[in-house]
């Protein structure tokens, strides 16, 4: 199978490239390196089944080779990244998704969209099942990401219904692991970087807001499973073990063996109060559940950051 992946030089994308190559697939990675890096592709670039195209997928891309599967992962994903690049984020979620779906349609390829738990916004239903329509502020600073992903989902369903493209949508909940950038700005890379330097660990707000963190290998496994199923509606993938951010900060400090103290900083606008995936559907459809306990995933990530 020849798989074209947009955003393949990013955190999740690079792990997918590696896994697909290890499974014997050919991989074409399309990335403009706005938040990704060629350093993430050290292994794939030595593999003759791998091709890298430097391109902004918000612009049309002509692909000459046949393609069997399009994985659309291109988008800034960390809140500081999408606040820094609001227009690029909206473009890649709209024009980029249109172009990626256009490739899938032209090549008669299957398509998978990387969507997000952010489509649920600051959720009023907890945990979040796929049937929940969400609670998003369209004009707040996070709206550029949330609404772009909601548009991407709507467009993907339209291509499925109108053009009969064989699509899938994965709603990814907070995922972490090696290859997150030190300066990525998300909670886990921040906490680990700060704890390793024995600097203050920054908790936003009072730290009572919750998230549920999934280790990268579990997410990749779930995505591979979903690729193989003909199911068009969104599927949540994430680890339902929910923790407050203050608990997370203290856990990272303990696992690093750091002398850091927690400091409290202002809570970003529209920061969701709580988030936990309902993974009943993934468990039934994909026979999938996360296998890596939080502390083990954190320890592996800390070792990589060291
Ligand atoms: P990342 O920033 O590490 O990777 C994103 C990649 O997309 C980067 O390599 C970047 O250069 C590339 N990119 C961005 N805009 C592009 C464009 N216009 N053209 C070509 N390439 C472009 O982020 P990540 O955490 O690996 O996230 C990957 C995908 O998964 C994103 O779509 C994100 O929304 C989704 N997601 C991630 C998480 C998570 O917890 N990591 C959660 C929910 C959804
Ligand atoms: N957060 C924090 N300190 C940091 C970075 C993030 O307390 O240094 C909080 C953030 O306000 C949010 C949670 O951690 O409540 C998760 O943030 P992240 O940026 O990792 O992802 P999000 O779930 O908000 O997309």
């Amino acid at each position: 199978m020849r798989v074209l992946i947009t955003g393949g030089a990013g955190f999740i994308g690079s792990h997918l490239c590696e896994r697909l190559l290890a499974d014997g697939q050919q991989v074409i990675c399309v990335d403009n390196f706005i938040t990704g890096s060629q350093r993430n592709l050290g292994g794939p670039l030595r593999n003759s089944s791998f091709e890298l195209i430097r391109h902004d997928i918000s612009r049309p891309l002509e692909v000459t080779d046949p393609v069997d599967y399009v994985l659309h992962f291109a988008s800034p994903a960390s809140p500081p990244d999408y606040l820094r690049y609001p227009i690029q984020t909206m473009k890649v979620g709209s024009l980029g998704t249109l172009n990626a779906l256009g490739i899938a349609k032209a090549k008669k390829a299957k398509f998978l969209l990387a969507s997000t738990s952010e489509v649920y916004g600051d959720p009023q239903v907890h945990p979040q099942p796929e049937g929940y329509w969400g609670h998003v502020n369209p004009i707040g600073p996070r709206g550029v990401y949330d609404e772009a992903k909601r548009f991407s989902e709507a467009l993907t369903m339209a291509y499925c219904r109108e053009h009969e493209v064989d699509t899938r949508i994965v709603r990814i909940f907070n995922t972490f692991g090696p290859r997150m950038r030190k300066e990525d700005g998300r909670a886990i890379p921040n906490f680990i970087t700060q704890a390793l330097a024995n600097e203050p660990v920054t908790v936003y707000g009072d730290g009572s807001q919750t998230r549920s963190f999934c280790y990268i290998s579990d997410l990749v496994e779930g995505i591979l499973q979903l690729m193989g199923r003909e199911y068009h509606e969104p599927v949540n993938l994430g680890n339902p073990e929910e923790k407050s951010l203050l608990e997370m900060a203290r856990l990272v400090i303990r696992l690093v063996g750091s002398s850091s103290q927690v400091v409290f900083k202002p809570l970003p606008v529209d920061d969701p109060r709580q988030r936990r995936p309902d993974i009943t559907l993934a468990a039934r459809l994909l026979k999938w559940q996360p296998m890596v306990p939080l502390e083990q995933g954190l320890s592996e990530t800390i070792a990589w950051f060291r």
Side-chain angles (χ1 to χ4, degrees), residues 32-103:
N32 66 351
F33 300 112
I34 186 171
T35 57
S37 162
Q38 204 158 316
R39 276 198 314 276
N40 290 337
L41 296 172
L45 283 166
R46 289 191 295 275
N47 190 318
S48 59
S49 298
F50 182 76
E51 185 188 344
L52 175 62
I53 301 177
R54 180 186 281 263
H55 180 80
D56 178 348
I57 195 62
S58 301
R59 297 170 186 276
L61 172 68
E62 205 162 319
V63 182
T64 44
D65 291 329
V67 173
D68 304 298
Y69 223 117
V70 175
L71 304 178
H72 183 39
F73 278 71
S75 172
S78 140
D81 283 343
Y82 57 73
L83 298 182
R84 193 175 309 130
Y85 303 115
I87 314 268
Q88 285 97 325
T89 301
M90 295 217 76
K91 279 188 173 175
V92 76
S94 52
L95 302 172
T97 305
L98 188 69
N99 289 329
L101 279 162
I103 295 169

Side-chain angles (χ1 to χ4, degrees), residues 79 142 174 186-187 190-191 202 204 209 211 245 271 275:
R142 296 175 89 98
N174 297 62
R186 283 177 274 193
N190 273 6
F191 292 172
T202 53
Y204 301 158
Q209 73 273 29
R211 294 293 186 275
L245 266 294
D271 197 285
R275 187 184 283 160

Side-chain angles (χ1 to χ4, degrees), residues 6-14 30-37 40 55-59 72-78 81 88-89 91-92 96 114-118 145 149 170-176 179-181 184 186 219:
T6 73
F11 159 54
I12 298 176
S14 63
V30 178
D31 205 296
N32 66 351
F33 300 112
I34 186 171
T35 57
S37 162
N40 290 337
H55 180 80
D56 178 348
I57 195 62
S58 301
R59 297 170 186 276
H72 183 39
F73 278 71
S75 172
S78 140
D81 283 343
Q88 285 97 325
T89 301
K91 279 188 173 175
V92 76
S115 186
T116 168
S117 51
E118 280 282 324
Y145 181 68
K149 289 291 186 180
V170 53
R171 288 188 182 149
I172 302 169
F173 283 66
N174 297 62
T175 299
F176 70 99
R179 300 214 191 103
M180 292 185 99
R181 279 147 46 226
D184 174 289
R186 283 177 274 193
L219 179 76

